Amino acid sequence: MKHLRLASALVAGLSASAVLADAPKMGGTAKVVIGSDILGTQPGVARDSGTDMILHHIFEALVAYDDNLEVQPMLAESWEISDEGKTYTFKLREGVTFHNGAPLTSADVKWSWDRWLDPETGWGCTYWYDGSEALKIEAIETPDPQTVVFRLNIPSGLFLAQMANFQCMTAIAHSDSVGADGTWSTPIGTGPFKLGEWKKGVSVTLSKNPEYSPAPGEKSGFAGARIAYLDSVEFLTVPEIATAMAGLRSGELHVVTDINATQETELKTAENVEVQSGPGLEWSALLLNVTDPVMKDRNMRLAVAHAIDFNGLALAVTRGASGYNAAPFSSQSVYHGEVQKGGYTRDLDKVKELLAAANYDGTPLKIQTSRRYDVFYQTAVIIQAMLGEAGIKADLEVLEWPAHLDNYFNGNFQISSFGYSARTDPVMNYWSVIGPREESPAYQWHDKEIYGMTFKAAAEVDAAKRQAIFDTIHSKMIAEAPTLNLFNSVNSAAVNSALEGYEIWPGNKPRLWGTWLTE
């Protein structure tokens, strides 16, 4: 089985004047706000979202996710999957060099992976590859300078998705990144930018890599051509949002991410600021505890489901940026097909029938929530009102976030307005919800057959067969209603008009390659 990258193509029919009008301008420094300083420069070790985002400008992996959350080649130009999914053979792109001028070879790939898999390194996702969760990399071979072979102990359809993961970067680094004693010294990658200066607590400046060799194809997610038009990017630690917004309006700052509804409304009045928003990968859900004396009745769970106007709820909470998504994975995913679009519709007559079948006696249901994340609280308030209109009384239990989270992990709730962090493959999303209760009360759905199907999807390398598995799981999830998936999170950014080419995407990681300054 072979996956080859697609070459980019010129669009026919464009006039010379149109091309010139849209031509990126070289040079300048873009200034991007980060809420806190980075934790380090070694990928996947001391990490948080901001640290990951900056290091993605310095490092690249063999593969990367595109805008549609499909894995594409990056430092690899192609790969073959053989031995029923247990052997992955990658061919590297020619002409790629590190920031120190050294050419990329398979030996660098092996050195990097050996470092990440070494328990002494402290890399965050060794358990994905060391057999802790079944899959183990048994060998990494380098038959020639442009070929690297990974041999696994079991078939895996998740291996590429894990390689492309946003958080635990499988970055390919040069061995000069560490000192003679083996400790991490300076980040030397192959990316469009290299580390310029890190003023701890103040800023991180990245400088353009003039020798960068981009992959073919248009920029898409972390894949495609990652061309640096800017001379540098300065990521500034600005903890006060008012300061950041003032800098955005004045033109001293160019990008501020994760703005809230009030800030978005305020910035929309600024002529030199564009507000971008769209669906992300995190998702909100209404958890229905299937071990609760009332909610264990499927009729009761379905009554709650048909009492909710899901699309109205989604549009209200996300300010129109994200609609109803009945699946626990992103609507942007290549696996989100026609089956996944099927969910629940509000039907108050059906609610009455289901309540009667459940012998509902009118005792108020209890919806747990907290104000730590405003989306959880808003969702709970709206659902409470919708249930009331349908004849289902519900009370809110507004808890402090630690108590809310603790109750989730221990299964101490009847209904909970909750949410999950970003995951990129449907199997990873389902594993957040499906599993044996004896292993963890946090699992909402304890169906052993469905749980087994998730492992089949994890091992399957054929996309069509994986889709069929996901379709089956989704259909049964809608029928059983162990949890009600609601909508994806909203990614947002405010961009000063002087910066062109900036785009948000489901991964919600700012990308400053492919952007340029007009002033």
Side-chain angles (χ1 to χ4, degrees):
M1 177 178 176
K2 184 175 289 188
H3 188 134
L4 297 175
R5 66 187 177 187
L6 296 177
S8 61
L10 293 176
V11 178
L14 287 178
S15 67
S17 60
V19 172
L20 291 174
D22 295 333
K25 182 180 178 181
M26 308 296 288
T29 299
K31 297 185 177 183
V32 181
V33 171
I34 53 177
S36 59
D37 198 9
I38 64 172
L39 301 179
T41 63
Q42 186 170 196
V45 179
R47 59 156 301 274
D48 60 12
S49 180
T51 302
D52 296 339
M53 178 269 293
I54 290 175
L55 295 183
H56 271 292
H57 289 73
I58 297 174
F59 292 102
E60 296 169 319
L62 293 177
V63 296
Y65 276 110
D66 65 13
D67 283 340
N68 296 321
L69 305 180
E70 187 172 10
V71 178
Q72 301 291 350
M74 179 43 64
L75 290 178
E77 71 170 14
S78 65
W79 64 78
E80 293 182 359
I81 305 174
S82 57
D83 193 20
E84 297 182 333
K86 294 196 293 184
T87 300
Y88 285 72
T89 302
F90 297 88
K91 288 292 183 181
L92 303 182
R93 281 197 287 124
E94 299 277 358
V96 177
T97 59
F98 287 97
H99 297 156
N100 61 358
L104 169 70
T105 70
S106 58
D108 300 302
V109 176
K110 178 174 171 54
W111 179 88
S112 299
W113 273 87
D114 285 346
R115 181 172 181 83
W116 308 143
L117 296 177
D118 183 348
E120 296 297 318
T121 300
W123 190 62
C125 287
T126 54
Y127 62 93
W128 279 356
Y129 307 102
D130 66 1
S132 298
E133 293 190 346
L135 186 147
K136 182 179 181 180
I137 296 175
E138 294 189 325
I140 301 175
E141 301 168 359
T142 56
D144 63 62
Q146 296 303 118
T147 305
V148 60
V149 181
F150 290 77
R151 299 196 184 278
L152 313 179
N153 64 326
I154 59 174
S156 177
L158 272 183
F159 188 56
L160 293 174
Q162 291 171 327
M163 278 185 134
N165 182 265
F166 302 149
Q167 291 84 15
C168 292
M169 292 178 63
T170 56
I172 306 305
H174 193 272
S175 57
D176 286 352
S177 298
V178 303
D181 61 354
T183 60
W184 188 261
S185 175
T186 186
I188 301 175
T190 61
F193 293 93
K194 53 187 177 180
L195 182 64
E197 183 179 14
W198 178 12
K199 297 179 181 178
K200 294 189 177 182
V202 179
S203 64
V204 179
T205 301
L206 304 183
S207 303
K208 177 179 180 177
N209 173 15
E211 305 303 321
Y212 181 65
S213 176
E218 295 183 358
K219 175 181 75 172
S220 180
F222 279 154
R226 297 164 45 139
I227 301 172
Y229 300 117
L230 300 164
D231 286 337
S232 59
V233 182
E234 188 175 0
F235 294 93
L236 295 157
T237 303
V238 184
E240 295 295 329
I241 188 63
T243 304
M245 291 177 67
L248 193 65
R249 290 193 197 89
S250 69
E252 295 178 9
L253 300 173
H254 297 104
V255 181
V256 178
T257 60
D258 298 324
I259 57 175
N260 63 29
T262 301
Q263 295 153 3
E264 179 179 333
T265 300
E266 182 179 342
L267 288 171
K268 281 183 176 178
T269 64
E271 293 183 356
N272 65 336
V273 176
E274 176 194 7
V275 176
Q276 301 181 10
S277 62
L281 299 181
E282 298 175 349
W283 81 98
S284 290
L286 192 70
L287 310 184
L288 309 180
N289 192 339
V290 297
T291 65
D292 176 79
V294 176
M295 301 313 299
K296 69 180 181 181
D297 189 319
R298 186 170 72 103
N299 290 312
M300 193 68 205
R301 299 196 302 272
L302 290 173
V304 171
H306 287 287
I308 299 172
D309 174 3
F310 286 91
N311 201 51
L313 168 70
L315 295 175
V317 176
T318 68
R319 312 186 299 279
S322 184
Y324 173 37
N325 182 8
F329 57 92
S330 172
S331 58
Q332 307 299 305
S333 170
V334 294
Y335 292 108
H336 197 285
E338 289 302 315
V339 172
Q340 284 68 35
K341 293 176 183 178
Y344 306 102
T345 56
R346 195 177 203 211
D347 187 336
L348 301 189
D349 290 334
K350 191 167 187 175
V351 170
K352 292 179 182 178
E353 295 175 5
L354 290 164
L355 291 177
N359 296 315
Y360 175 57
D361 62 4
T363 302
L365 304 181
K366 293 182 179 180
I367 305 174
Q368 287 188 6
T369 187
S370 71
R371 294 181 183 269
R372 171 63 177 82
Y373 297 100
D374 194 47
V375 64
F376 295 172
Y377 181 72
Q378 289 184 47
T379 296
V381 170
I382 294 173
I383 287 178
Q384 179 191 34
M386 289 179 174
L387 293 180
E389 293 172 354
I392 304 174
K393 297 178 182 179
D395 296 331
L396 297 188
E397 291 184 283
V398 184
L399 307 175
E400 294 298 321
W401 172 241
H404 189 196
L405 186 62
D406 186 64
N407 285 350
Y408 158 74
F409 280 118
N410 291 291
N412 295 330
F413 60 87
Q414 186 176 57
I415 300 176
S416 180
S417 177
F418 202 72
Y420 295 86
S421 59
R423 290 155 175 81
T424 49
D425 187 273
V427 169
M428 299 177 188
N429 296 66
Y430 280 124
W431 279 345
S432 301
V433 179
I434 305 170
R437 183 174 175 80
E438 58 271 21
E439 182 177 312
S440 172
Y443 290 126
Q444 303 303 304
W445 195 11
H446 315 131
D447 189 306
K448 292 182 179 179
E449 179 184 2
I450 294 297
Y451 188 48
M453 291 182 70
T454 64
F455 284 93
K456 290 182 180 179
E460 183 57 64
V461 297
D462 183 274
K465 292 179 180 178
R466 297 190 90 217
Q467 184 71 66
I469 295 172
F470 297 142
D471 289 352
T472 299
I473 294 175
H474 181 81
S475 296
K476 189 164 184 180
M477 192 173 200
I478 294 299
E480 294 296 322
T483 183
L484 307 180
N485 301 302
L486 305 176
F487 49 83
N488 291 115
S489 59
V490 177
N491 295 339
S492 61
V495 185
N496 185 276
S497 58
L499 184 69
E500 292 283 347
Y502 186 90
E503 299 172 334
I504 61 168
W505 67 298
N508 198 28
K509 301 287 185 186
R511 301 159 299 162
L512 276 299
W513 58 83
T515 68
W516 64 95
L517 292 170
T518 59
E519 301 175 9

